[in-house]
Amino acid sequence: MRRAALCALVCAVPVAAFALPAFDEVRQDFRPSDTVILSREGEVLQRLRTDNTVRRGQWVQLADVSPALRQALVLSEDKRFFEHSGVDWRAASAAAWGNLWNQRTRGASTITMQLAGLLDGDWRQGPGGRTVVQKLGQTVAAQVLDRRWRKDQILEAYLNLVPFRSELVGIDALSRTLFDKAAHGLDDREAAVAAALVRAPNARPTLVAQRACGVLRDMQQGGGRVDCDALDLFTTAALQRRAFDASEGVAPHFARHLLRQRYNKAAGDVVPERVQSTLRAPLQRFAVQTLQQHLRELRGSNVEDGAVLVLDNTTGTVLAWVGSSGQLSQASEVDGVLALRQPGSTLKPFLYGQAIAERRLTAASLVDDSSAHIATAGGLYIPQNYDRQFKGWVSVRTALAASLNVPAVRTLVMVTPDAFHRQLGAVGLPLRESGDYFGYSLALGSPEVPLLHLTNAFRTLANGGRLSPVALAAPAPGRVPVFTPGLDPRAAFIVGSILSDGNARARTFGTDSVLATRFWTAVKTGTSKDMRDNWAVGWSERYTVGVWVGNASGAAMHDVSGTSGAAPIWAAVMGFLHAREPSRAPKAPAGLVHAAVRFGPAQPQQPATNPQPLEAARDEWFVPGTQQALFAMDSGAVSAQGISAGGKKGLKNPASGEGEASSGAIARITAPASGTVIALDPDIPPTRQRLQFTATGRQLLWRMDGKPLGRGPEVAWLPWPGRHVVQITDTAGQVLDEIRIEVRGAGAIGPGVAPAH
């Protein structure tokens, strides 16, 4: 039975040997450990390692392997490679004779036999050596290979499949890792080391150097002296080098995101050797260079990170994706396009767009840019402008273009945080917390959003309020992206008109800022709390560009403004996109009204004065039914809490001409705000603590809890714990305005009234 089984096994060996694949099949099945990301033009943008089990480079044709390496390999492994038919019977007989007499001889395994073992694991040597059957099968397979394949094909496949050292497989991975060059550039010394590693891949550097020295002597054939000591030092240094980076190129973050989105390794998806992307190679390189150059200029301002994203307006495809400043960053692996950061004022366009769509405001409506104290459940919210100054009554066009904070907060009071929260979700900015969680700070960009979603939200404005997902693959010919409504197209157009108006943004940015391009663009900048994030996001006729600069660590920047941080990068990328391509202003959607408007004076008309209008007359866009010719201040002033000077809640329709602004003549308490909570400081003597009340109007009388407090526009009060009602009245005793405050703490000497100022 044993003899029968052995006979059957030996007979089966030739059958398995004849099942070896053809050269073209081996070449086709070869998979590098890296995936190459190509641009839409077919240019290599990024090489990214995707197989962590081995390290393979690209398949190298034999013509691209240095002659020195080919010579060294043949001399080291198979001197009669070009003479025998797959098996060197002369070497085999010498090896058998040496084994018989216990003499050390050179192995008889040829390159062809080793290749057979690499192609079929059945012939591969195990921990205890090869069995008789394995040796027989390898011998038969080598002869089959030699008959079916050409010698150059055998040598080429062997060089690409042979393991060299540790995880390195194939000559491309070896030459790039140990010698930092392509296989065609290996010299005699490097080729000798590579050939020595085939025999003993994981041997000590000294042993590898000894074998390499022998190979080098054979290569020179006595034509020169070999310095083995120098070769030992060279070999030791080479075996410690790891020059073949896991990732190389200009789009590492995009490459990782693309492969994560397209291929699921857990589901068994095989990542191909080459992946076509939507990126434009020249644009990607320009964006990387521009970001790094500008951040070098800002190095003294404590800025080291940034990100750039460019989207095609029509298809949503990504044209450029720069996730980091690279070597300038201490956190270069963090993808700034996907990182959550506070967007600052870049959310304001969507807030004003919602208010316009809901007919709460028009682009010409007047809003008050003055100190506001808004009572919330957590205390007073006191928004400030970027420059710590107030502009007074301004139009919505000016408020948005000049990025004024207080008018935005007043607008959010009208819209409500929850409604604005829903609007942000509609344009592709879903937030993890509710609108009430953020409160009125939502108007100034307190939540965290990634640059990817923010830029696509601005692309929604570019597409007339229509939202579609970002695309990482080019759409099929004739296929149109699926759009969903995100914002009223008429409101989106008006917002774009405002953000493209250089005159409207002049109050903050001047008339000749970096935001003023020579072609049509609409752009919004933003800066988050404590100068941690700076943004510039905007669009042209065909493209939407988003830029973020800051620090991945969250550290604050120093003296970086809306026009010195991200804006210069945005302008440079836009200029590159439109160097030879025009950008025209969009056409107004059907139904919009374009009408002339003028604005009333800044102060009430008085004899012997010639008051100037708040803003110059102009033509303005209106949602139908909200247009009017004159916007002026009247007595229906609205406070930050949505309560008029007369104490009536609600906002009047801006289209009616009421409630737009106030002349300032109506008496009202300006500070503190109603609902203020005052805490007495126990470390300060009670008699030294005073609360200042201020009001607008003439001939005012103050009352505290129904008792006289003082007269005039200002009074000081010695605080007393408890809840209090503060009123101002005219000389006839009629209440003009009132607030309610609370004083907490103990130690006051008793109620008292300070003399009027």
Side-chain angles (χ1 to χ4, degrees):
M1 290 180 62
R2 289 197 189 105
R3 290 173 183 165
L6 179 61
C7 181
L9 184 60
V10 170
C11 292
V13 165
V15 177
F18 277 96
L20 289 171
F23 174 79
D24 291 338
E25 292 176 320
V26 174
R27 171 66 185 89
Q28 186 176 359
D29 292 340
F30 180 84
R31 289 289 180 271
S33 60
D34 301 335
T35 295
V36 174
I37 306 299
L38 304 176
S39 69
R40 61 173 54 199
E41 303 91 353
E43 184 176 338
V44 176
L45 285 176
Q46 188 69 37
R47 177 181 53 77
L48 191 67
R49 184 170 181 179
T50 52
D51 186 351
N52 294 321
T53 59
V54 296
R55 192 70 200 276
R56 295 190 190 93
Q58 299 295 313
W59 182 278
V60 180
Q61 296 183 1
L62 189 61
D64 294 328
V65 177
S66 73
L69 178 58
R70 283 179 273 171
Q71 179 190 11
L73 187 66
V74 171
L75 289 174
S76 174
E77 295 299 310
D78 192 354
K79 290 184 177 180
R80 284 181 288 274
F81 171 73
F82 292 101
E83 301 172 11
H84 60 66
S85 58
V87 179
D88 189 347
W89 296 109
R90 188 188 309 177
S93 60
W97 183 260
N99 290 333
L100 180 64
W101 296 98
N102 293 322
Q103 296 176 349
R104 292 190 62 185
T105 60
R106 188 168 185 166
S109 179
T110 65
I111 289 177
T112 312
M113 294 171 67
Q114 293 179 49
L115 177 61
L118 294 173
L119 295 177
D120 193 330
D122 290 341
W123 320 131
R124 202 166 298 166
Q125 182 173 342
R130 291 186 180 89
T131 64
V132 174
V133 175
Q134 283 181 316
K135 291 180 179 179
L136 178 61
Q138 187 184 32
T139 300
V140 175
Q143 295 180 85
V144 172
L145 273 177
D146 194 78
R147 286 198 300 268
R148 291 182 177 178
W149 292 24
R150 301 191 310 267
K151 290 288 185 179
D152 62 322
Q153 292 177 331
I154 293 173
L155 193 56
E156 179 178 322
Y158 180 77
L159 282 168
N160 283 282
L161 298 178
V162 64
F164 280 97
R165 188 173 185 83
S166 185
E167 62 176 1
L168 301 178
V169 174
I171 189 56
D172 188 50
L174 175 81
S175 58
R176 293 187 184 278
T177 301
L178 301 189
F179 308 118
D180 195 18
K181 59 174 65 173
H184 65 77
L186 298 183
D187 57 23
D188 288 356
R189 184 171 57 172
E190 294 162 342
V193 173
L197 286 171
V198 172
R199 184 72 59 87
N202 296 313
R204 299 188 309 275
T206 302
L207 181 58
V208 175
Q210 290 176 359
R211 290 175 174 168
C213 189
V215 174
L216 195 56
R217 286 196 182 101
D218 292 342
M219 293 173 65
Q220 295 183 356
Q221 297 178 351
R225 188 178 67 86
V226 177
D227 188 346
C228 291
D229 292 336
L231 185 59
D232 190 354
L233 294 175
F234 172 79
T235 303
T236 301
L239 295 180
Q240 294 175 349
R241 190 179 296 122
R242 291 292 182 269
F244 194 25
D245 293 334
S247 182
E248 183 180 29
V250 294
H253 303 87
F254 172 79
R256 287 193 287 266
H257 182 71
L258 175 65
L259 297 184
R260 282 196 303 266
Q261 294 298 312
R262 284 196 187 180
Y263 307 101
N264 185 355
K265 288 187 177 181
D269 291 349
V270 178
V271 181
E273 180 179 345
R274 291 172 176 261
V275 175
Q276 191 88 22
S277 76
T278 60
L279 298 189
R280 292 184 181 177
L283 174 63
Q284 179 71 15
R285 287 195 297 268
F286 179 83
V288 171
Q289 295 167 2
T290 301
L291 176 65
Q292 292 178 346
Q293 177 181 347
H294 188 64
L295 290 184
R296 287 190 182 97
E297 297 173 359
L298 292 176
R299 183 168 295 176
S301 299
N302 193 40
V303 186
E304 67 175 29
D305 291 299
V308 181
L309 181 68
V310 181
L311 302 177
D312 182 280
N313 287 344
T314 304
T315 62
T317 53
V318 178
L319 305 180
W321 179 309
V322 184
S324 169
S325 59
Q327 296 179 352
L328 300 179
S329 172
Q330 298 183 35
S332 58
E333 293 300 312
V334 176
D335 190 347
V337 175
L338 299 177
L340 293 172
R341 309 291 301 200
Q342 286 187 325
S345 294
T346 56
L347 296 188
K348 291 176 183 175
F350 309 104
L351 172 60
Y352 284 107
Q354 182 178 8
I356 292 172
E358 295 176 354
R359 304 191 177 200
R360 299 178 183 273
L361 292 174
T362 72
S365 297
L366 294 173
V367 287
D368 188 12
D369 181 30
S370 63
S371 178
H373 298 68
I374 303 175
T376 68
L380 283 181
Y381 180 59
I382 308 175
Q384 296 286 334
N385 286 325
Y386 176 81
D387 57 4
R388 302 286 179 177
Q389 298 178 1
F390 299 104
K391 306 297 189 294
W393 292 98
V394 295
S395 68
V396 166
R397 177 173 289 270
T398 299
L400 174 55
S403 196
L404 303 179
N405 287 344
V406 178
V409 175
R410 296 187 193 277
T411 301
L412 183 57
V413 173
M414 304 180 197
V415 172
T416 74
D418 273 342
F420 185 41
H421 182 277
R422 292 191 294 270
Q423 176 61 69
L424 291 175
V427 296
L429 289 170
L431 306 180
R432 292 178 294 182
E433 292 84 7
S434 66
D436 285 339
Y437 175 87
F438 299 106
Y440 296 118
S441 67
L442 189 59
L444 307 183
S446 59
E448 293 181 333
V449 299
L451 178 63
L452 178 65
H453 293 169
L454 183 62
T455 305
N456 197 43
F458 272 75
R459 176 176 157 261
T460 301
L461 296 175
N463 285 319
R466 299 179 303 152
L467 171 69
S468 74
V470 171
L472 300 178
R479 184 176 180 180
V480 179
V482 178
F483 287 95
T484 57
L487 180 66
D488 188 310
R490 300 169 299 182
F493 175 84
I494 294 174
V495 169
S497 171
I498 294 172
L499 296 182
S500 63
D501 189 344
N503 292 327
R505 73 169 73 101
R507 287 201 178 189
T508 297
F509 301 99
T511 56
D512 191 25
S513 72
V514 69
L515 303 176
T517 57
R518 296 183 179 180
F519 43 89
W520 187 90
T521 54
V523 59
K524 184 72 189 71
T525 60
T527 305
S528 68
K529 183 181 179 182
D530 297 330
M531 294 272 188
R532 299 182 186 277
D533 308 279
N534 188 253
W535 310 76
V537 192
W539 70 94
S540 63
E541 183 180 8
R542 285 198 56 187
Y543 309 104
T544 300
V545 178
V547 180
W548 166 81
V549 298
N551 294 295
S553 64
M557 300 174 286
H558 303 158
D559 300 324
V560 176
S561 67
T563 55
S564 66
I569 304 171
W570 177 88
V573 173
M574 271 295 184
F576 183 87
L577 288 166
H578 290 284
R580 296 179 178 84
E581 186 176 348
S583 176
R584 295 173 291 269
K587 295 181 179 179
L592 274 182
V593 176
H594 197 216
V597 297
R598 58 189 180 88
F599 299 88
Q603 296 294 337
Q605 185 71 33
Q606 296 179 2
T609 62
N610 185 22
Q612 297 296 319
L614 290 165
E615 295 186 12
R618 62 173 181 259
D619 290 341
E620 192 56 88
W621 293 99
F622 296 94
V623 173
T626 64
Q627 67 270 21
Q628 60 189 57
L630 174 64
F631 286 82
M633 299 179 296
D634 62 18
S635 60
V638 178
S639 71
Q641 290 85 1
I643 303 176
S644 68
K648 297 179 180 179
K649 291 187 177 181
L651 294 170
K652 301 179 182 180
N653 187 345
S656 69
E658 299 176 326
E660 292 298 328
S662 169
S663 65
I666 296 298
R668 69 186 186 110
I669 300 174
T670 57
S674 185
T676 298
V677 177
I678 297 99
L680 295 175
D681 191 336
D683 295 329
I684 301 176
T687 57
R688 296 295 183 91
Q689 302 191 52
R690 291 288 190 275
L691 181 62
Q692 197 80 12
F693 295 98
T694 61
T696 59
R698 298 180 179 181
Q699 298 180 346
L700 301 179
L701 298 177
W702 291 83
R703 297 171 64 180
M704 168 72 69
D705 298 329
K707 299 178 180 180
L709 180 63
R711 65 173 61 241
E714 297 181 359
V715 295
W717 174 62
L718 184 66
W720 178 252
R723 293 190 176 101
H724 307 281
V725 178
V726 182
Q727 299 172 325
I728 53 174
T729 69
D730 57 17
T731 54
Q734 181 180 357
V735 176
L736 303 177
D737 197 8
E738 73 175 30
I739 61 171
R740 296 177 182 272
I741 63 173
E742 180 180 353
V743 179
R744 296 177 183 174
I749 60 174
V753 178
H757 287 210

